[in-house]
Amino acid sequence: MSDMRRRLETVIVAAGRPPHVPGAPLNEPVTFASSFVAGGELEYARYGNPTWTALEAAIGALEGGACVSFASGMAAVSAVVGLVPAGGAVVVARHSYQHTLALLDDGARAGRFEVRRVDVADADAVEAALPGAAMVWLESPTNPALEIADIERLAASARAAGALSVVDNTFASPLLQRPLELGADIVVHSATKLIAGHSDVVLGAVVTGDAALTERIRSHRGLHGAIPGPMEAFLTLRGLRTLSVRLERAEANARELARRLQDAPGVVEVRDPGFGTVLALVLEDAAAADRVVERVRLWIPATSLGGVESLLERRRRWATEAPTIPEGLIRLSVGIEHIDDLADDLLGALAGA
Ligand SMILES: *Cc1c(COP(=O)(O)O)cnc(C)c1O
């Protein structure tokens, strides 16, 4: 069976391993090196490391393109934003990751490019913003509004308008959404979240299906030096190996939790995109939401998402969160614990609040 025909659940386990030869380790070891003996493929470790190569092979195979790993999701975001030519325009989901928006605003303030914020769920509005744009930055589902973009339609419209389309695929993971297959040019990941999956590493990735784009991204990494540590690359690949089973449990928990929360006391709205592991729970106001966050015992009050442990936070506690996000919105990152324990803890906190 060719690698191309393998199911993604198999690719996750099999990709990026050393050759099956007698005596070889099953996993690519951590290579701690700053320099390699001259004459080989690798010479200096800001440009390459065998542990990155293994991780990049696996993420690339999953997304269907070539992967370049970075020190963090934001380093990956910065590399892609670096592709925008001076004087260009970037169309961006208004509820994108808040530091992506902050980075774009920085570029706009410095006069490098123009930023146009749009509601990605409104494809007509996105298309209306496209003329003259160099890049369209999509997230789906968005954070934490959980809006869904029609990636296939918008990638095609972007191409027709001469703009690069980028999808931050952090919330979906390549198991639930493969943007390159849907026509997007570039995929960005904060592998810190679902891909690594254990809240113990920060790492980012860019995947493209175009060799020239990959080369520009790789060159950016070498010049800016935002390289992942070999240990981080190893941990990320180890975490990735179990993504399909983690996701299976966490998604089942998320759907069931959304159902049980529907009629819980004080709940104004439950936002469930129908896939993935993040839900949003809207309560009356900030005080009601803060009381729930204070009363839970199993759920951990913390930012971030995609780990095996369930986390929650009231998003507007961040001064930088979009004012269009309700004050009483709690983002839930659903983990792989037993559903009854997760539900009991949260429903108990809601009843007591
Ligand atoms: C966390 C996150 C990022 C940034 O990634 P880091 O690894 O924290 O630098 C980018 N996009 C999304 C959607 C995220 O959730």
Side-chain angles (χ1 to χ4, degrees):
M1 187 168 61
S2 86
D3 284 6
M4 289 304 291
R5 305 227 340 257
R6 285 181 178 159
R7 284 91 183 152
L8 292 179
E9 291 81 352
T10 306
V11 172
I12 276 189
V13 176
R17 289 198 187 273
H20 302 184
V21 298
L26 298 194
N27 296 289
E28 180 63 43
V30 192
T31 299
F32 290 116
S34 60
S35 196
F36 301 87
V37 179
E41 232 170 78
L42 294 175
E43 293 249 10
Y44 190 61
R46 199 173 67 251
Y47 297 102
N49 173 292
T51 319
W52 306 351
T53 308
L55 172 66
E56 290 170 351
I59 296 178
L62 286 172
E63 287 286 6
C67 172
V68 182
S69 56
F70 283 88
S72 66
M74 278 312 295
V77 169
S78 301
V80 175
V81 169
L83 296 171
V84 180
V90 183
V91 175
V92 61
R94 64 178 173 158
H95 292 142
S96 288
Y97 182 66
Q98 45 176 301
H99 305 288
T100 299
L101 292 172
L103 179 73
L104 288 171
D105 284 348
D106 260 10
R109 256 195 308 277
R112 282 191 50 223
F113 44 69
E114 178 200 335
V115 176
R116 303 172 185 164
R117 295 195 186 199
V118 292
D119 173 0
V120 281
D122 183 348
D124 292 337
V126 179
E127 285 169 352
L130 282 177
M135 183 175 282
V136 182
W137 192 282
L138 304 174
E139 278 192 33
S140 187
T142 59
N143 175 19
L146 303 178
E147 298 132 332
I148 302 294
D150 182 342
I151 293 173
E152 196 164 8
R153 171 175 162 184
L154 295 176
S157 309
R159 179 151 306 182
L164 285 173
S165 54
V166 182
V167 178
D168 183 332
N169 208 25
T170 300
F171 271 48
S173 92
L175 283 181
L176 303 180
Q177 178 166 279
R178 302 177 79 219
L180 298 182
E181 225 166 58
L182 298 173
D185 295 303
I186 301 175
V187 171
V188 170
H189 275 288
S190 169
T192 309
K193 316 293 169 52
L194 275 168
I195 287 181
H198 295 74
S199 307
D200 54 8
V201 61
V202 174
L203 191 138
V206 176
V207 190
T208 75
D210 177 285
L213 277 178
T214 301
E215 211 27 63
R216 288 175 69 189
I217 295 292
R218 204 187 299 282
S219 157
H220 178 106
R221 179 180 64 183
L223 293 174
H224 291 251
I227 58 169
M231 192 67 204
E232 281 71 12
F234 178 89
L235 285 172
T236 302
L237 183 52
R238 187 166 73 167
L240 173 64
R241 296 297 187 206
T242 56
L243 176 62
S244 70
V245 286
R246 284 187 281 112
L247 204 52
E248 201 172 299
R249 167 69 79 90
E251 277 205 288
N253 279 352
R255 302 292 86 73
E256 175 60 17
L257 200 60
R259 198 184 63 76
R260 295 194 199 180
L261 285 169
Q262 218 56 251
D263 303 315
V267 172
V268 175
E269 187 191 352
V270 181
R271 292 193 193 169
D272 177 6
F275 67 102
T277 63
V278 177
L279 302 172
L281 185 59
V282 183
L283 304 188
E284 199 57 56
D285 53 26
D290 284 339
R291 282 195 296 275
V292 169
V293 173
E294 279 158 24
R295 291 180 64 96
V296 287
R297 290 291 168 266
L298 175 62
W299 288 77
I300 305 173
T303 199
S304 198
L305 58 113
V308 291
E309 62 288 295
S310 295
L311 310 181
L312 84 178
E313 71 170 337
R314 186 174 76 79
R315 286 297 299 186
R316 288 289 298 277
R317 77 191 176 92
W318 300 106
T320 47
E321 183 56 276
T324 38
I325 298 301
E327 280 284 0
L329 184 146
I330 299 174
R331 185 179 73 186
L332 304 174
S333 171
V334 183
I336 65 170
E337 302 91 337
H338 195 287
I339 179 62
D340 291 340
D341 292 321
L342 289 177
D344 288 352
D345 190 40
L346 201 51
L347 290 167
L350 282 161

